[in-house]
Amino acid sequence: MLKQTISELISKAITKAQKEGKLPAFDLPEIVIEHPQNPDHGDYSCSVPLKLTKIVKMKPMDIAKDIIGSIPASPEIEKVDVAPPGFINFTLKKVWLAKEVNDVLKNGANYGNINAGQGKRIQIEFVSVNPTGPLHVGHGRGAVIGSTLCNVMTAAGFDVTKEYYFNDSGSQMDSFRQSLWARYQQALGKDAAMPEHGYMGEYMVELAQEIKEKEGDRFLKMPPAEGVEKLGEIGLARVLETTREDLKTLRVEYDVWYSEKTLYEKGQFDIIMKLLREKGYVAEKDGAIWFSSTALGEDKDNVIVRSNGSPTYFAADIAYHYNKFIERKFDKVIDIWGADHMGHVSRMKAVVSALGIDPSRLEIIINQMVTMRRGGEIVRISRRTGDMITLRELLDEAGTDACRFILLSRAASSQMDFDIELAKKQSAENPVYYVQYAHARIASILKVAEEKGATDEGGDVSLLTTEPELTLIRKMLQLPELVETIAQTLEPHHLTYYAQDLATVFHAFYKDCRVVSDDKAMTSARLKLIKAAKLVLGRTLNLMGMDAPERM
RNA sequence: GUCCCUGUAGCUCAGCAGGAUAGAGCGGCUGCCUUCUAAGCAGUAGGUCGUGGGUUCGAGUCCCUCCAGGGACGCCA
C-alpha cells in the first residue's frame, strides 16, 4: 500500500540524514501519513517534522528540508515539497495513478484485501440476544455493525469466526417458559395467570396459539413440570428459528450458534470454578460464591453462584470466554454488546486476566441505544412490556439495504435516532440508493458500450489525465487503506462515508467525461476506468452487506 | 451518590493515535435534462465545535471544573 511505502521512504530518509550528520540521533517515532484536506497540498502528507521539534530542537521547516533532501526519486511520486509550518507533502505521478486502474482490474472482486491479520484467528460474537422474543432495532444495529466488521476483518486477512451465543438456561429462560406455559393454557381456554415478571408481549400469545394449533393440548396431559419443560423446548426452538430468519433477512449469518447450556454439560463451568478457586479469586459470603473482582481493582465483587446453587449469567460468560481463549485458542476475541451490558465490560476484562489471559486479546464494542421515532414522536422499546417495533417490521417497511445503511452510518459509541417514517418516505433519497445508483449507472454505460461494439480491449490507461478521472482513481485507491483503518479501530461506520464519497466522485466524473464516444482509444481507456470503479463500488457495498444492483 | 457513553450547521451525524481554511446527508435558496440512467450535477446560505480553565509551536481532538441528554450500578441477562 502506498501509504506504507511513503512512511518507509520517510523513515529511511531520516536515518540517512542522521548518518550524514544533518539530524541528531534519536529513536524513530511512528511515521503517520495522512491525506491533506486541501488537494493543493498533494496526495499524502506527513507532519513528522513538527513532532520532531521537541526531540531535535531544530526549526520544523529545517527538519523537513533535511528529510526531503534524503528522499530518493521513486516511480510513484512526482514531487515532494515542504510547506509551512513543517509539513512534507507528496504529489503522485499522474501516469502512476492511471496505471493503478490495471491493478484494480487485476485484483477484481478481491480489491481492497490486505494482509494485516496474517491469518490470525479471531472470533467475533455479536447480537447474542436471549431467545425469549423477537429482535428489535437495537439488536439490528449490533447485527449490522458486527457482520460488517466480520466482512472487513476477513478482507484484512484475519481468519474470522462469526458467533451467536444464546442463553438457553438461567432465570430469564425460566421466566420465558412460565410465560409461555400461561399463554398456552389460556389459548386452550384455561384460566392461567402470567408470572410476575413474565414476558407480556403480544408475541407470546401468538407463539402459544401457534403451538396449540400444531401440537394440540398434549403438554397439558403431561405432569406439569414435564409439560412446562417440553413446551419450553419447542418455544425456544421456535424463537431461535425466528431470530435466525430475521437475521438472515438482514443479511447476517453465523458460523457458530453457541448454547449456554453446553457450558454446564461439557464441563467448562466446572473448570473455571476450579481455576478461580486455585488462584484465590473465589470467596463465600451470605451463602453465595463470589468472584473477588475488587482484588483486581473493580468497584465490587460479583456473585458467580447464587445461594440457591444456580450459577449466574456472569459465571456462564466466564466459562464461555474460557472456551474461546483456552479451548478454541482464538488469538483475538471481539464481543459486541448493547449499551445495557456496559457494566459487564470491566468485570469481564478482570476475570479474563484472572484466568491468566492477556486482557488486550479481548475487545469489547458497546453499541449505544437506538431511539425509535415515528415522525417526531419517540417510540419506547421494551421487550418485557412488549411495547416495541420489531426488526422484522422495520425490514419489511424500509428494506434490508436501507436499514443496514442507516444502522451502520453512526459510530457505535453514539446514540442514534431512527425515524421509521423518514426511512420509508425518503427511501428514494436514502444515501444507500445514491451509492447503488452510481453502480447501476456504470452497468448501464457498459451495456451501451456493448451494444455499440465498443470494448476496453487494448485500452491505454495513460490516456486518463483529467482531474475528474484522477480524482476518481485516487478515491478508489483508498479502499485498502480504509480496510486497514477499520481493522485497527474496529469502527466500520467509516465505510458508509467512503461509499458516498466514492459515488460522488464517480457522479462528478460522469458529468464531465463522456465514456462511449467516437474517440476509440479514449473510449477503451475510460471503459477500463469505469469497470474498475464498478468493482470498487461493488466491493464497498459488498463489505457493508448490501446489494450492488445492475439497474435501478 | 459512583462509573461509562454522548454534546460539532435548522435536523441527523462524520472528523481516521492533536496538525494546514471545521465536513457530509437531509432541509432552505439559485441554476442545469435533443448527448452513456436527473435516484444526478453545479452554486449559495448556515458554526464563538455545551461551559470555564489547563497542557503546547499548534486543541473539535488530550487533562480538570461545571452544565445537559442517555445508560449502568441485581444472588436479571
Side-chain angles (χ1 to χ4, degrees), chain A residues 179-215:
Chain A
S179 304
L180 185 59
W181 181 243
R183 291 301 190 206
Y184 174 70
Q185 288 176 291
Q186 289 167 5
L188 288 163
K190 294 191 72 170
D191 221 12
M194 284 292 281
E196 196 181 349
H197 296 292
Y199 288 92
M200 303 304 290
E202 185 61 26
Y203 65 87
M204 285 300 265
V205 177
E206 291 162 13
L207 180 57
Q209 186 64 33
E210 194 188 312
I211 293 175
K212 186 200 88 175
E213 277 161 22
K214 267 194 205 151
E215 310 281 340

Side-chain angles (χ1 to χ4, degrees), chain A residues 200-271:
Chain A
M200 303 304 290
E202 185 61 26
Y203 65 87
M204 285 300 265
V205 177
E206 291 162 13
L207 180 57
Q209 186 64 33
E210 194 188 312
I211 293 175
K212 186 200 88 175
E213 277 161 22
K214 267 194 205 151
E215 310 281 340
D217 63 352
R218 68 187 184 92
F219 300 106
L220 277 186
K221 292 173 180 158
M222 301 174 182
E226 191 190 340
V228 171
E229 179 66 29
K230 295 283 183 209
L231 177 71
E233 271 174 29
I234 287 190
L236 169 69
R238 186 72 196 101
V239 173
L240 274 176
E241 196 183 322
T242 308
T243 301
R244 212 182 291 238
E245 282 165 4
D246 288 356
L247 288 169
K248 195 171 178 183
T249 306
L250 228 205
R251 230 165 275 138
V252 177
E253 297 193 57
Y254 289 88
D255 300 313
V256 177
W257 288 73
Y258 202 98
S259 146
E260 177 189 359
K261 210 195 249 177
T262 64
L263 294 165
Y264 301 107
E265 293 167 353
K266 296 189 178 165
Q268 287 92 348
F269 169 74
D270 294 330
I271 295 173

Side-chain angles (χ1 to χ4, degrees), chain A residues 304-494:
Chain A
I304 40 182
V305 181
R306 301 181 182 89
S307 49
N308 70 8
S310 66
T312 61
Y313 164 82
F314 183 41
D317 221 9
I318 299 171
Y320 183 34
H321 282 76
Y322 171 83
N323 164 264
K324 296 185 190 194
F325 283 111
I326 310 287
E327 294 188 334
R328 284 192 282 165
K329 300 184 170 62
F330 285 106
D331 295 303
K332 210 173 173 96
V333 167
I334 301 175
D335 294 336
I336 302 178
W337 297 338
D340 55 339
H341 279 61
M342 214 137 45
H344 192 50
V345 174
S346 69
R347 65 169 172 258
M348 208 55 230
K349 289 233 174 205
V351 79
V352 159
S353 69
L355 289 173
I357 298 156
D358 176 1
S360 72
R361 285 166 65 197
L362 174 64
E363 297 267 9
I364 298 170
I365 298 172
I366 295 293
N367 63 276
Q368 291 296 325
M369 298 186 62
V370 180
T371 305
M372 293 302 297
R373 291 173 189 276
R374 278 201 186 275
E377 199 182 334
I378 293 177
V379 185
R380 283 270 151 214
I381 46 179
S382 164
R383 305 181 86 202
R384 295 185 200 187
T385 60
D387 173 21
M388 59 189 287
I389 296 163
T390 63
L391 178 62
R392 167 60 58 183
E393 186 181 349
L394 205 64
L395 286 168
D396 289 346
E397 289 187 43
T400 298
D401 288 336
C403 284
R404 285 193 70 101
F405 200 96
I406 293 171
L407 291 172
L408 185 63
S409 62
R410 308 296 179 225
S413 60
S414 287
Q415 289 156 226
M416 68 173 291
D417 277 16
F418 194 119
D419 189 329
I420 309 167
E421 293 306 317
L422 219 67
K424 279 195 304 182
K425 189 171 61 189
Q426 283 192 335
S427 63
E429 290 164 26
N430 193 295
V432 71
Y433 297 106
Y434 176 80
V435 178
Q436 290 179 325
Y437 182 62
H439 188 270
R441 235 181 181 180
I442 297 175
S444 170
I445 301 172
L446 292 175
K447 207 171 141 220
V448 169
E450 202 185 327
E451 284 164 9
K452 293 189 177 174
T455 166
D456 68 332
E457 220 164 292
D460 177 8
V461 290
S462 64
L463 294 173
L464 305 169
T465 55
T466 67
E467 268 318 302
E469 293 166 320
L470 296 172
T471 304
L472 175 56
I473 296 169
R474 284 190 188 98
K475 189 53 80 178
M476 287 168 16
L477 297 187
Q478 285 179 20
L479 182 61
E481 293 175 7
L482 183 63
V483 169
E484 185 182 41
T485 302
I486 294 172
Q488 269 172 20
T489 62
L490 309 181
E491 292 176 339
H493 68 278
H494 291 119

Side-chain angles (χ1 to χ4, degrees), chain A residues 136-209:
Chain A
H136 59 60
V137 237
H139 304 135
R141 186 179 189 189
V144 172
I145 292 173
S147 57
T148 304
L149 191 58
C150 287
N151 294 342
V152 174
M153 296 310 273
T154 303
F158 288 91
D159 176 5
V160 178
T161 299
K162 299 178 273 187
E163 198 151 321
Y164 190 113
Y165 173 60
F166 58 98
N167 308 106
D168 50 352
S169 68
S171 61
Q172 292 303 320
M173 208 53 231
D174 283 338
S175 178
F176 171 78
R177 270 192 286 264
Q178 294 300 335
S179 304
L180 185 59
W181 181 243
R183 291 301 190 206
Y184 174 70
Q185 288 176 291
Q186 289 167 5
L188 288 163
K190 294 191 72 170
D191 221 12
M194 284 292 281
E196 196 181 349
H197 296 292
Y199 288 92
M200 303 304 290
E202 185 61 26
Y203 65 87
M204 285 300 265
V205 177
E206 291 162 13
L207 180 57
Q209 186 64 33

Side-chain angles (χ1 to χ4, degrees), chain A residues 524-542:
Chain A
S524 299
R526 285 185 173 159
L527 281 174
K528 277 194 168 175
L529 173 60
I530 64 166
K531 274 190 177 178
K534 184 165 176 269
L535 279 169
V536 182
L537 229 21
R539 184 77 209 278
T540 305
L541 284 162
N542 172 263

